[in-house]
Amino acid sequence: ATTFDWQDPLSTKSLLTEDELAISETAERYCQEQLRPRLEEAYRNESYDKTQLEEMGQLGLLGATIKGYGCAGVSSVAGGLITKAVERVDSGYRSGMSVQSSLVMGGINEFGSEEQKQRFLPGMAQGKILGAFGLTEPNHGSDPGSLETVAVEHPIKKGYYNLSGSKTWITNSPIADVLLIWAKVADPSKGLAADGTPKKVIRGFLVERKDAPAGTLETPAIKNKLGLRASITGMIHLENCPVPVENMFPDVQGLRGPFGCLNQARYGIAMGVIGALEDCISRARTYALERKQFRGNPLARYQLIQKKLADAATDAAFGTLAAIQVGRLKDAGGDAATGLPDMISMIKRQNCDRALQGARTLQEIFGGNAVSDEYGIGRHVANLFVAQTYEGQSDIHSLILGRAITGVQAFA
Ligand code: TGC
Ligand code: FAD
């Protein structure tokens, strides 16, 4: 391209395949035409219309990177472009989709038995079976290795575990049909803990709401959030909830399980938050061109305003390029993908931090109008704080990167 395109300054589109461009266009059109009109009321009223997941399913946007089982089987970059399109509208809508697509469908695809894949993935791809991912607990967020939820063999029913414990801040929990719960199970082969009981390992369980006896599973919504109001978030309380062993991931043990799911979702966030930042740039640019101060000059004429737009547009373009590169390495696999989780930490942290900072600075351009929800900018700022916090708060990703750089671990 010979002319500068402020919406894609480094021509990242030129790096995309025809398929990726087509998927991105489909997703962007759906999001702008169908999702955006519903957003304002949903955000004001903290309501989440779950039919949007069925609509996304019809367009092949759920679990899109999974091959088979009714999923589209697209590249990681294409999957990222879908999250970018959704988050351009709202991070909360992207959240609802990410949990379904990356954390639960992705987890089942990576760690589930063949029977579990057949049973859950096709319905989830259509948005007819909804998922939630339960890792965080009231006392353990950044440090999920210390989680307290347990699964013990059922005292009477052979082939069943009883799950007990609490999860909090769980996207989609109040509406989910299947809840992927990470719990500790005694494993005598690992020896004894300090208290003389068998050591425990973390395992993943697919808890189906329809099979939970009354009083064993509750998923109350968390209301009055200050951000991500267009998504639905809740707790999960389990009290001796019986789950058949067929619903446990057969092989994966330890934190490799949940983190394996998080790699895919963190990648989606890294690309997604740039969609939100680009929406802020577009809104701020329009406002700066229209709003006049001092002798009838548009704000856009002033250098300080231009610098804010230049900084944000640079961060958005660099963030997209970095995410495309990591997506390509992810799909190439093998040697190219050595260190992939740390690369994903790098782009998740950087893009979330820059998107939040950029949105916050662009918010200033709106003056007092930034306080009105009509301008959308304050909503993105509130949402992007959450994106910077979940799936590993930015400082936690700093420590992951610090460990990768120095070989010395700093969290504990
Ligand atoms: P550490 O010793 O680092 O690792 C334990 C085991 O896990 C393996 N592992 C990974 N495997 C695959 N991918 C990764 N990214 C991995 N990171 C670690 C590791 O190899 C080891 O395996 P093994 O077999 O040797 O046991 O464990 P640690 O306890 O020291 O971990 C520290 C730290 C900071 C890395 C980790 O706890 C962390 O990332 N904390 C952040 C927690 C987090 O991200 N929670 C997310 C909850 S889900 C969510 O927020 C969804 S929001 C969704 C939405 O709405 O969009
Ligand atoms: P804490 O772990 O208490 O951390 C508080 C602060 O201390 C952070 O700034 C952190 O960086 C810092 N900190 C912690 N340890 C260290 C250290 N060693 N060194 C330096 N600084 C440190 N979880 C799920 O499992 N599933 C979901 O679907 C899900 N959805 C969410 C949706 C929303 C709207 C929100 C807000 C959260 C969601 N979460 C979900 C939870 C999210 O992953 C956690 O909030 C996040 O991991 C941080 O944990 P915490 O809130 O307990 O903070």
Side-chain angles (χ1 to χ4, degrees):
T2 49
T3 42
F4 185 84
D5 175 2
W6 64 269
Q7 289 171 298
D8 185 14
L10 299 178
S11 189
T12 57
K13 278 202 179 70
S14 66
L15 299 173
L16 306 179
T17 64
E18 274 180 28
D19 278 355
E20 287 166 347
L21 284 168
I23 292 157
S24 172
E25 273 164 32
T26 302
E28 293 284 358
R29 195 175 325 111
Y30 164 73
C31 292
Q32 293 303 318
E33 290 175 6
Q34 303 294 325
L35 284 187
R36 194 179 281 280
R38 306 176 205 171
L39 174 70
E40 198 171 272
E41 284 307 305
Y43 199 87
R44 279 182 186 163
N45 302 327
E46 250 186 312
S47 62
Y48 183 74
D49 174 9
K50 64 182 183 179
T51 60
Q52 66 182 260
L53 289 170
E54 278 196 51
E55 294 165 4
M56 291 182 195
Q58 280 161 15
L59 293 172
L61 304 180
L62 298 180
T65 57
I66 295 171
K67 293 188 173 41
Y69 308 100
C71 302
V74 303
S75 70
S76 289
V77 170
L81 294 168
I82 296 171
T83 63
K84 193 177 184 192
V86 178
E87 194 148 1
R88 192 182 305 284
V89 178
D90 190 79
S91 304
Y93 285 169
R94 195 267 306 134
S95 231
M97 186 200 67
S98 293
V99 166
Q100 175 83 358
S101 289
S102 305
L103 289 175
V104 186
M105 293 179 72
I108 294 171
N109 186 51
E110 196 165 343
F111 302 118
S113 65
E114 186 53 37
E115 185 274 329
Q116 288 166 354
K117 292 181 198 180
Q118 306 265 10
R119 184 148 51 104
F120 292 107
L121 290 180
M124 295 192 80
Q126 291 168 10
K128 292 191 192 309
I129 302 174
L130 302 187
F133 181 87
L135 180 64
T136 304
E137 300 188 349
N139 297 325
H140 309 284
S142 300
D143 177 21
S146 306
L147 65 83
E148 294 169 61
T149 298
V150 290
V152 295
E153 281 182 31
H154 198 287
I156 304 164
K157 280 171 104 173
K158 211 169 151 30
Y160 274 76
Y161 283 95
N162 268 349
L163 267 64
S164 299
S166 286
K167 303 286 179 181
T168 193
W169 289 116
I170 307 301
T171 302
N172 290 354
S173 82
I175 55 167
D177 304 297
V178 56
L179 302 108
L180 172 48
I181 300 294
W182 299 97
K184 285 186 176 165
V185 184
D187 183 347
S189 73
K190 300 270 187 281
L192 297 179
D195 63 1
T197 58
K199 280 194 177 156
K200 296 191 179 83
V201 291
I202 295 174
R203 308 284 304 243
F205 292 85
L206 296 161
V207 178
E208 292 181 85
R209 190 188 295 273
K210 67 178 172 42
D211 297 334
T216 64
L217 169 68
E218 275 167 26
T219 55
I222 299 173
K223 299 305 277 183
N224 306 322
K225 288 180 292 177
L226 296 178
L228 235 69
R229 291 173 60 83
S231 75
I232 181 158
T233 318
M235 299 187 78
I236 302 174
H237 298 301
L238 296 148
E239 201 177 328
N240 288 319
C241 182
V243 181
V245 70
E246 299 85 64
N247 281 26
M248 179 172 79
F249 284 161
D251 298 318
V252 72
Q253 298 191 6
L255 283 173
R256 276 192 322 106
F259 286 144
C261 309
L262 281 162
N263 290 335
Q264 178 68 25
R266 287 170 174 173
Y267 178 75
I269 292 181
M271 193 74 108
V273 290
I274 300 298
L277 178 58
E278 286 176 353
D279 190 51
C280 295
I281 294 166
S282 171
R283 287 169 185 266
R285 177 180 174 276
T286 303
Y287 190 85
L289 286 166
E290 286 171 1
R291 173 77 175 170
K292 296 188 174 64
Q293 287 296 289
F294 294 100
R295 301 201 192 118
N297 291 322
L299 294 178
R301 190 176 164 189
Y302 299 117
Q303 291 155 339
L304 292 174
I305 301 286
Q306 292 194 0
K307 180 176 187 306
K308 287 173 185 170
L309 288 163
D311 286 346
T314 305
D315 284 333
F318 278 45
T320 303
L321 278 180
I324 290 174
Q325 165 70 354
V326 172
R328 295 281 181 248
L329 296 174
K330 190 167 182 292
D331 287 349
D335 284 352
T338 309
L340 187 75
D342 297 324
M343 295 180 200
I344 292 173
S345 279
M346 183 177 274
I347 58 169
K348 195 279 179 184
R349 167 183 179 261
Q350 177 73 3
N351 288 2
C352 286
D353 285 358
R354 298 321 302 162
L356 176 58
Q357 176 64 45
R360 177 62 197 85
T361 305
L362 294 173
Q363 189 179 26
E364 293 163 4
I365 293 176
F366 294 78
N369 282 338
V371 177
S372 159
D373 71 356
E374 280 172 40
Y375 291 86
I377 189 90
R379 173 175 56 79
H380 280 307
V381 173
N383 285 342
L384 287 166
F385 168 77
V386 180
Q388 191 208 37
T389 300
Y390 58 31
E391 303 211 8
Q393 202 272 346
S394 274
D395 286 346
I396 296 299
H397 288 292
S398 304
L399 300 183
I400 292 172
L401 291 169
R403 177 176 61 183
I405 294 164
T406 64
V408 184
Q409 109 109 303
F411 340 105

